[in-house]
Amino acid sequence: MRKILMAVLLTIASQTAFANVTVPIRGTVISPSDPLIQYAGRISFTNPERPAWNFPGIQIMTAFEGTSLRMIAKPQSGYFVAQIDQAEPFKVAFTGKADSVVTLATALPEGRHLVRLMYTIEGYEFYPEFWGFVLDKGRRLVPGPAFPSRKIEFIGNSITCGYGNEGTKKEEHFDYATENHYYSYASITARNLEAQHWVVARSGIGAYRNYDGPRTGTPESCMPVQYEYTGYAWKPELRQEASFLSERWDFSRYQPDVVCINLGTNDLSTNNYDLKLLKQGYQKLLEMVRQHNPQAKIVFLTGSMLYNQELQEARQLLDEVAVEAQKAGDKEVYRFDMAPINGDAFLGNDWHPNIYQDEKMAAELTAYLRSLMNWF
């Protein structure tokens, strides 16, 4: 029996790209490069058998035949949310050193099925990779529906990532197990509007100054720098850790209808900021976003972790940036403020929005974008 098992493993390793998988795989292995697998988000395909990324919100979708489905990924890639057909979404974890194959579905009725996957955390410490699917023996992928034609891009910080939104106590600190972008305001808004959404977001990032950075700013790693890349490297030297981190993003791969920018919370989070430099950071980012997305509407947001003086300053600066851009000829720059968190019932870990607050924010933003974009 042991010899048979080893023979199966050796055969799989020689016939597929999954030589690192150390568990027996029985069934039909589907390569990540199969043309019937659809992807959304900033993913590097430098190695088409190892699609790689580290921003949250990456989506993978395909249709398949058979009664079961398994997923293969790099061990310790982190957390995904999976949905089979119209069933309730559920979390999938690749957290152990040997977790490479996870079962997504068994005992399905015979026929065709649809799987949707979303990467739900920030992968800047994990360098996640998708390695393919396993179907019932002899089964195959089949054509499935396309992603929605409406397109949104969200540029943001921890709020957009979904930091701590599954947490139950504001005093508890960050844990990847309680970060879930699937239930972030951005993801919920996109589903409400039947739109696809791509994400450029990382906790702690700012428009000119990352969290608790120097008054002069953190120009080497703030959003106007990171926006140009496929992945996020929180220290420039880390771009050597994975090739895709130094890969310049090809903006022709995704041209959003609307770009929502929710930054400023980290810039203003500690009393060591310069409003003039913050405004310049907003303007630099706006110039960059417009250059790469000439047809998009651009919406500067606030919400929902600023209060009092800092909230007033952020709103005033963003109003000025929008008005000045419009006067200079860019008529498609807009402003919208989501409500601040109001009460412990809406707080997750580290005083961040929980899922209830994300739902409130999504309701507000959905109504605004529906009117702005005429998406009824």
Side-chain angles (χ1 to χ4, degrees), residues 53 70-83 89-105 116-121 126 128-130 166 175-180:
W53 67 89
R70 284 176 286 169
M71 172 185 174
I72 313 174
K74 174 184 172 183
Q76 296 183 298
S77 281
Y79 293 91
F80 296 78
V81 161
Q83 183 179 28
F90 58 95
K91 187 176 282 189
V92 176
F94 289 87
T95 52
K97 293 183 178 180
D99 288 342
S100 57
V101 183
V102 171
T103 297
L104 302 182
R116 298 181 179 90
L117 291 163
M118 181 182 291
Y119 191 66
T120 61
I121 64 171
F126 299 104
E129 296 176 358
F130 172 62
E166 289 191 320
D175 190 317
Y176 286 108
T178 61
E179 180 175 60
N180 196 334

Side-chain angles (χ1 to χ4, degrees), residues 60-265:
I60 303 169
M61 182 172 71
T62 194
F64 63 97
E65 294 179 332
T67 64
S68 70
L69 179 68
R70 284 176 286 169
M71 172 185 174
I72 313 174
K74 174 184 172 183
Q76 296 183 298
S77 281
Y79 293 91
F80 296 78
V81 161
Q83 183 179 28
I84 306 296
D85 299 327
Q86 299 303 313
E88 190 71 17
F90 58 95
K91 187 176 282 189
V92 176
F94 289 87
T95 52
K97 293 183 178 180
D99 288 342
S100 57
V101 183
V102 171
T103 297
L104 302 182
T106 59
L108 294 170
E110 278 286 356
R112 297 186 176 192
H113 302 280
L114 181 69
V115 58
R116 298 181 179 90
L117 291 163
M118 181 182 291
Y119 191 66
T120 61
I121 64 171
E122 304 164 70
Y124 61 90
E125 291 182 317
F126 299 104
Y127 309 113
E129 296 176 358
F130 172 62
W131 291 359
F133 292 112
V134 184
L135 306 181
D136 294 342
K137 185 176 180 180
R139 299 306 178 94
R140 59 189 178 91
L141 300 184
V142 294
F147 284 111
S149 59
R150 297 171 177 175
K151 297 178 180 179
I152 308 173
E153 180 175 74
F154 286 95
I155 301 172
N157 50 38
S158 57
I159 302 170
T160 299
C161 292
Y163 178 119
N165 62 354
E166 289 191 320
T168 58
K169 295 181 180 179
K170 61 182 183 292
E171 296 85 5
E172 293 181 348
H173 299 307
F174 179 78
D175 190 317
Y176 286 108
T178 61
E179 180 175 60
N180 196 334
H181 179 78
Y182 185 87
Y183 294 110
S184 70
Y185 78 91
S187 188
I188 297 171
T189 296
R191 289 194 294 276
N192 289 347
L193 293 170
E194 298 180 1
Q196 61 173 299
H197 78 290
W198 292 34
V199 182
V200 184
R202 196 274 191 193
S203 292
I205 201 167
Y208 101 96
R209 184 180 81 113
N210 296 345
Y211 177 76
D212 201 23
R215 185 180 183 87
T216 53
T218 47
E220 72 283 354
S221 58
C222 59
M223 185 57 78
V225 172
Q226 300 296 336
Y227 187 66
E228 294 286 319
Y229 290 92
T230 300
Y232 178 88
W234 60 283
K235 291 182 180 179
E237 57 268 27
L238 293 180
R239 296 202 180 281
Q240 307 304 315
E241 296 290 322
S243 61
F244 77 92
L245 295 180
S246 59
E247 179 181 290
R248 293 279 180 170
W249 177 245
D250 178 2
F251 287 89
S252 68
R253 287 172 56 182
Y254 187 71
Q255 284 290 292
D257 302 305
V258 58
V259 179
C260 295
I261 303 173
N262 189 0
L263 292 170
T265 302

Side-chain angles (χ1 to χ4, degrees), residues 274-291:
D274 185 313
L275 292 176
K276 181 179 179 180
L277 292 177
L278 175 54
K279 184 175 180 180
Q280 291 174 357
Y282 283 138
Q283 291 170 326
K284 182 177 180 179
L285 182 60
L286 173 59
E287 180 181 0
M288 185 177 298
V289 172
R290 174 56 71 214
Q291 176 187 350

Side-chain angles (χ1 to χ4, degrees), residues 5 8-10 12-13 18-26 29 70-72 98-102 134:
L5 177 58
V8 170
L9 287 171
L10 289 172
I12 291 170
F18 306 116
N20 290 341
V21 177
T22 57
V23 297
I25 300 179
R26 297 178 178 87
V29 177
R70 284 176 286 169
M71 172 185 174
I72 313 174
D99 288 342
S100 57
V101 183
V102 171
V134 184

